[in-house]
Amino acid sequence: VGRPVLFVETRIVDEQMRTLPPGAVGEIVHRSPQLLLEYYHDPQKTAEAFQDGWFRSGDLGVADEQGYLTVVDRKKDMIKTGGENVASREVEEVIYQHPAVSEVAVIGLPDARWVERVCAFVVLRPGSEADASQIIAHTACLASFKRPKQVIFVRELPKNPSGKIMKRELRKWAAAICGSDRDVAQEPGTCH
């Protein structure tokens, strides 16, 4: 996304707000005289978002040696599976490259063995066909822990009025469709 703009300080930090070195993934925080001061009538959200004068964006990113910033994922969308962190966006970008895929959203779902398992919700292009094993095989370029353990085919992804995919709704869909401990969905809206 480039470098920080004039009059905006940007850092990549860990959970304790310690600045991370170039190449390390952490939360993107900002400080600026033109930044909002608080959330309107919401002191709790204000307290959560600001720490020592820094705005916690909720975005995870990495900066290189020259200060160029890459956004990796939303902090709340990071999947913790088998002791490893998986950026849902990284998995989505690989699945998007499958010729039969129109849209995809990746989330973490509760898993008794892995804590969370990587689950992909896939919308196929009209007239295209693919099954779960083909989608998973397409992600072979990723480390094994990043590859989906579950694929759910849907006709459309839930979106808010501005077109943003609502991943919290996908978690509800998954619980309704197939519970929390199933394996792979082969057909739209079903699990086995």
Side-chain angles (χ1 to χ4, degrees):
V1 294
R3 299 174 79 170
V5 296
L6 192 63
F7 305 119
V8 176
E9 291 179 80
T10 299
R11 295 170 40 216
I12 306 293
V13 300
D14 63 15
E15 288 294 325
Q16 290 74 41
M17 291 291 288
R18 294 180 297 226
T19 301
L20 294 171
V25 175
E27 185 173 7
I28 302 168
V29 296
H30 306 284
R31 182 167 63 183
S32 170
Q34 66 245 26
L35 191 63
L36 75 148
L37 299 174
E38 63 184 40
Y39 285 97
Y40 186 68
H41 293 302
D42 198 338
Q44 180 180 349
K45 192 168 185 178
T46 299
E48 292 169 0
F50 288 89
Q51 187 170 346
D52 300 326
W54 291 89
F55 176 71
R56 300 185 75 124
S57 69
D59 290 320
L60 294 174
V62 61
D64 67 15
E65 294 284 346
Q66 290 76 41
Y68 286 92
L69 181 68
T70 300
V71 176
V72 175
D73 208 346
R74 290 288 296 160
K75 187 175 179 181
K76 65 183 176 185
D77 291 337
M78 185 64 71
I79 302 165
K80 294 178 176 71
T81 183
E84 300 284 351
N85 289 333
V86 176
S88 61
R89 184 172 162 183
E90 178 183 7
V91 181
E92 290 166 353
E93 287 174 0
V94 171
I95 295 173
Y96 265 121
Q97 294 173 16
H98 190 287
V101 173
S102 172
E103 290 185 296
V104 62
V106 172
I107 62 171
L109 292 178
D111 188 88
R113 180 176 180 193
W114 302 105
V115 180
E116 286 186 307
R117 69 180 173 278
V118 178
C119 176
F121 283 80
V122 174
V123 177
L124 296 175
R125 294 182 187 280
S128 294
E129 292 184 17
D131 63 25
S133 62
Q134 292 169 321
I135 299 298
I136 292 168
H138 184 73
T139 64
C141 60
L142 296 171
S144 61
F145 66 89
K146 295 180 179 182
R147 298 173 71 188
K149 293 185 176 36
Q150 182 174 13
V151 174
I152 299 174
F153 293 96
V154 293
R155 287 172 183 50
E156 63 184 2
L157 296 172
K159 297 177 185 162
N160 67 15
S162 65
K164 182 179 177 185
I165 296 169
M166 299 188 311
K167 291 190 175 183
R168 68 179 178 274
E169 291 301 314
L170 293 177
R171 289 179 186 89
K172 290 179 188 176
W173 285 11
I177 293 169
C178 55
S180 61
D181 289 325
R182 302 294 174 102
D183 285 326
V184 178
Q186 295 287 350
E187 299 300 328
T190 63
C191 284
H192 72 273

